[in-house]
Amino acid sequence: MNRAGSIWFWSLLGAFIAAALGTAINFATDLKTNFLAWGLVVAFTLATGLISGISQVLIRGGDGTKTTGTTNVYNVRHSQVNAWLVFLILGVSGSVLAAIFVGVHFAKSFQTAGTPIPAVAEPSPSTSTTTISTTTSTTSTAPQPATNEDIAQFVTAYYRLMPDTRAGWPLIGPNLQRRGQSDYEAHWGRISAVDVHSASATSATTVRVRITLHYRDGRPSPTETHELTVVPYDGRLRIDADTLIRAK
């Protein structure tokens, strides 16, 4: 290869490496902390400078003087020729590495582009418990205050569970729970069944209920009227007070 051909070859290779450097900078800027991308920027920067230097050596000749004509490239010192070969290998290797990196990057981009964008998850509706696992009032924002009908249904459902103290104990409030779980279980342990005749709200927090208690020992079954205070506690309704109004 003559000197003029060498100059054109290294100039074109320098332009190619410079273009690769610009591409690497773009990817490194987009990917921010990707070390491979920034490593390519450094490699291509060094390669651009080295190839530029080689082009100047070819233009001026191996001894630093400007040359003309078609002097053969092998007139340049042997050590310089070896250095050019190293730079050529470095440039080609870096270009292949850049091509692989760019290909992988675009493959991931296409794969991502082909993946359906997940729909925005709607906030799960908050639930206000108005009965024991039978009727719930749902809303997409804040829980709505319980209505008179809600608390009446809650009381009815509570007595229909009794005498199941395991299910009933979590449904009474802290005020009634102060009497102790053992007393609560002892009271309902004497009852075999409960009939609910009526339950109606007398205010936003009180329910008047009429029930018949059936005792296990066969004693007469009294029909009692209770006034219960129902309050929200820990996100659910609870019976927090029980007043006996009438028994017969």
Side-chain angles (χ1 to χ4, degrees), residues 18-47:
L21 172 61
T23 303
I25 290 175
N26 286 335
F27 279 111
T29 303
D30 292 339
L31 300 178
K32 300 185 186 309
T33 58
N34 188 289
F35 295 107
L36 176 59
W38 286 106
L40 287 175
V41 171
V42 173
F44 286 140
T45 300
L46 295 175

Side-chain angles (χ1 to χ4, degrees), residues 9-246:
F9 171 77
W10 287 104
S11 297
L12 290 174
L13 182 59
F16 174 79
I17 296 296
L21 172 61
T23 303
I25 290 175
N26 286 335
F27 279 111
T29 303
D30 292 339
L31 300 178
K32 300 185 186 309
T33 58
N34 188 289
F35 295 107
L36 176 59
W38 286 106
L40 287 175
V41 171
V42 173
F44 286 140
T45 300
L46 295 175
T48 302
L50 292 173
I51 291 172
S52 177
I54 292 172
S55 298
Q56 293 299 316
V57 170
L58 289 173
I59 293 173
R60 296 183 175 276
D63 57 358
T65 60
K66 187 173 182 180
T67 61
T68 58
T70 59
T71 305
N72 193 283
V73 68
Y74 293 106
N75 291 333
V76 184
R77 288 197 302 254
H78 181 70
S79 60
Q80 292 174 337
V81 173
N82 289 338
W84 296 342
L85 292 176
V86 171
F87 297 151
L88 177 60
I89 294 172
L90 176 63
V92 172
S93 300
S95 300
V96 172
L97 183 61
I100 294 173
F101 176 76
V102 172
V104 171
H105 177 78
F106 275 107
K108 290 181 179 179
S109 299
F110 291 144
Q111 182 178 4
T112 303
T115 303
I117 299 175
V120 177
E122 294 293 336
S124 58
S126 54
T127 303
S128 173
T129 304
T130 57
T131 66
I132 299 80
S133 68
T134 56
T135 305
T136 56
S137 174
T138 59
T139 174
S140 59
T141 56
Q144 298 298 319
T147 64
N148 290 4
E149 182 180 359
D150 291 337
I151 62 175
Q153 290 178 354
F154 171 77
V155 168
T156 299
Y158 168 79
Y159 278 112
R160 285 176 178 169
L161 287 174
M162 306 314 294
D164 184 356
T165 56
R166 180 176 297 180
W169 177 255
L171 302 179
I172 64 175
N175 183 52
L176 284 181
Q177 286 186 351
R178 289 193 190 99
R179 301 180 186 180
Q181 188 171 358
S182 58
D183 289 347
Y184 178 80
E185 291 175 348
H187 167 73
W188 287 107
R190 298 190 296 267
I191 308 298
S192 62
V194 180
D195 296 331
V196 182
H197 302 294
S198 64
S200 59
T202 57
S203 72
T205 58
T206 57
V207 175
R208 185 161 293 191
V209 60
R210 184 167 171 264
I211 59 175
T212 297
L213 302 176
H214 299 276
Y215 285 89
R216 296 182 187 276
D217 58 7
R219 76 179 73 175
S221 302
T223 298
E224 300 177 350
T225 301
H226 293 255
E227 187 169 80
L228 308 179
T229 300
V230 180
V231 296
Y233 186 80
D234 285 346
R236 65 188 306 177
L237 296 176
R238 300 199 185 193
I239 299 172
D240 203 40
D242 184 351
T243 303
L244 178 61
I245 302 298
R246 185 182 306 110

